[in-house]
Every structure is written in C-alpha cells, then in structure tokens.
Amino acid sequence: MRNIILLGPPGAGKGTQARYLVDTKQMVQLSTGDMLRDAQAAGTEMGKKVAAIMAEGKLVTDQIVIGLIREKLQDGAEGGFIFDGFPRTLPQADALAKLLSDMDMKLDAVIEMQVDDEALVARVSGRSTCGQCGEVYHDETKPWPESGECINCGSTQVKRRPDDNAESLKTRLNEYYKKTSPLIGYYYAKGNLQRLDGLASIDEVRESISWIMGT
Ligand code: AMP
C-alpha cells in the first residue's frame, strides 16, 4: 500500500494520472475538487455555499476540505490513497499529517508535477471530460470523437468545467503560487518530495510515477 500526494497547478495532469492509478493499482483517488463538484451537483447546502468561490477560482475554506478528506479516509483503501488537489495550504498539510498518524498511516511520496504556465493555459482552456466516466479530452490534442460518443464508455455527455476559462485560471494560478506552492518546501524539508516533468507525455509521466512508487 502506498499513499501519495499529486501536487501541481491546475492542468498539470494530476487527475489524468490519478485515474490511471485507480484503474491499474487498486488505489483510491481523493480529489477534493471532484467531491466539491459532486456536492454542487447534488445541491447540498455545502455545495451551494462553495459554488461561487469555485467558479471564481478561489480556494474554499480549509475546514470544509479537511472534513471531506477525514470522512473518506475512514473507508480505507487497499492499494493506498492518491491525494489529488489536497492539501492545498499549509494548514491542510498539517491536518493531513495528523489524520494519517491518528490512523497509523503514512505518506509515501509527494509528487510535484512541474508544468509552465503557458502550457497550463493551453491545456485547461481546451479541456472537456466525459460526464459519465470522466475520460479527459482536449479540443486540440484529443478532440471529442466525431461520432459524439466517448471512446471509453460510449456516453454522449460532454462536460466542461465552469472554472476552465482564462479569467478563473488566472485566479487559480495565483492561489496555487500563493497558498499551495509553499507545500513544496514543506514536503522537501520532510524528505518526501519527488519532482517530475509534467510536460512529458502521459505515458512517460506514468512511468515516472511508477518508478517513484517502486511499483
Ligand atoms: P480542482 O478540481 O482540484 O482543480 O479544484 C477545483 C476547485 O475546488 C478549486 O479551484 C477550489 O475552489 C476548490 N478546491 C478543491 N480542492 C481544494 C482544497 N484542497 N482546498 C481549497 N479549495 C479546494
């Protein structure tokens, strides 16, 4: 069992790599972004509360996301957890350390996926996903099939995130550099940090992650 954090700005490829690890290594993906979007889709009070903040590209409160993670950790994960988009602040990182130690678990690696801003803008602005299975598409590099059906599950439901636009992305990047990038130093000091080139191909990044995880 391996517990890892995928750390990187929006569009670095965290979700794509997490999907692969879930499919092939029995790991459980804990994406706070997905959990918050699910809460919105379900129309819960919390979902309503965070909708505008997320659309703008700001971070929601630590308290909300820590609560979500605490709940999911209870379920356990045979192959380990992939933290995707969490932690995003130093208080979240401290809370995670405490939650893991309370449950006798440890963090095996924090993988920083490095991608320059220009590539992020291009990746995020053309991004769409399948509403059914989550397969990721891109207008230029992997367009939605002409048949109109997802290559993975055949669904015709195309989804675009409301925060995948130039204005919100600017805010998301600011939030990342201001509040999340200090985690690079935090985990480096703990001896957990591993870095990889997020501009490499999806397969190359997969291989780097496997190598880091020793699997
Ligand atoms: P993501 O899908 O990871 O890009 O997250 C989408 C949005 O959800 C972010 O821009 C934030 O508004 C919110 N969010 C997700 N995870 C966190 C987190 N760990 N802390 C604060 N806000 C978060």
Side-chain angles (χ1 to χ4, degrees):
M1 155 160 166
R2 298 263 186 282
N3 298 310
I4 63 166
I5 293 176
L6 296 180
L7 186 65
K14 305 184 293 290
T16 300
Q17 295 298 333
R19 273 173 63 76
Y20 174 74
L21 293 169
V22 168
D23 289 345
T24 58
K25 302 196 194 292
Q26 287 79 48
M27 296 180 80
V28 171
Q29 176 188 12
L30 296 185
S31 158
T32 40
D34 284 349
M35 294 175 209
L36 294 166
R37 280 184 288 277
D38 288 347
Q40 271 187 62
T44 67
E45 278 311 306
M46 187 269 279
K48 287 182 202 152
K49 202 165 121 186
V50 298
I53 302 169
M54 288 177 70
E56 201 189 332
K58 293 247 170 79
L59 294 187
V60 311
T61 64
D62 290 336
Q63 200 195 351
I64 289 178
V65 287
I66 292 165
L68 289 171
I69 290 286
R70 183 184 295 120
E71 212 174 287
K72 297 282 180 183
L73 282 179
Q74 316 289 341
D75 299 339
E78 210 172 302
F81 288 106
I82 310 154
F83 297 95
D84 161 11
F86 179 93
R88 258 179 162 96
T89 64
L90 290 168
Q92 289 178 26
D94 281 334
L96 178 63
K98 169 104 181 31
L99 285 171
L100 290 175
S101 103
D102 286 351
M103 298 180 74
D104 247 343
M105 292 196 287
K106 70 178 175 62
L107 205 52
D108 296 280
V110 177
I111 303 175
E112 184 203 348
M113 302 174 69
Q114 299 179 312
V115 181
D116 59 54
D117 289 2
E118 219 173 291
L120 297 176
V121 175
R123 281 186 181 185
V124 165
S125 48
R127 180 161 73 173
S128 63
T129 53
C130 170
Q132 182 93 18
C133 73
E135 183 78 16
V136 183
Y137 294 90
H138 189 281
D139 295 343
E140 257 119 66
T141 54
K142 186 182 163 188
W144 190 265
E146 276 183 21
S147 66
E149 291 171 5
C150 172
I151 49 166
N152 189 44
C153 73
S155 161
T156 53
Q157 219 186 314
V158 191
K159 261 196 350 200
R160 283 192 194 265
R161 283 172 49 166
D163 59 347
D164 274 353
N165 62 74
E167 188 65 19
S168 302
L169 181 62
K170 210 166 135 196
T171 310
R172 287 158 72 196
L173 283 174
N174 271 331
E175 292 283 78
Y176 178 78
Y177 288 114
K178 205 161 56 183
K179 299 177 184 163
T180 308
S181 69
L183 297 183
I184 296 168
Y186 173 97
Y187 287 117
Y188 179 87
K190 284 183 184 275
N192 275 332
L193 191 71
Q194 305 277 347
R195 296 175 145 150
L196 59 78
D197 177 11
L199 282 175
S201 71
I202 292 177
D203 285 345
E204 283 168 328
V205 175
R206 271 179 195 166
E207 275 174 32
S208 303
I209 293 177
S210 278
W211 185 82
I212 289 168
M213 290 174 55
T215 57

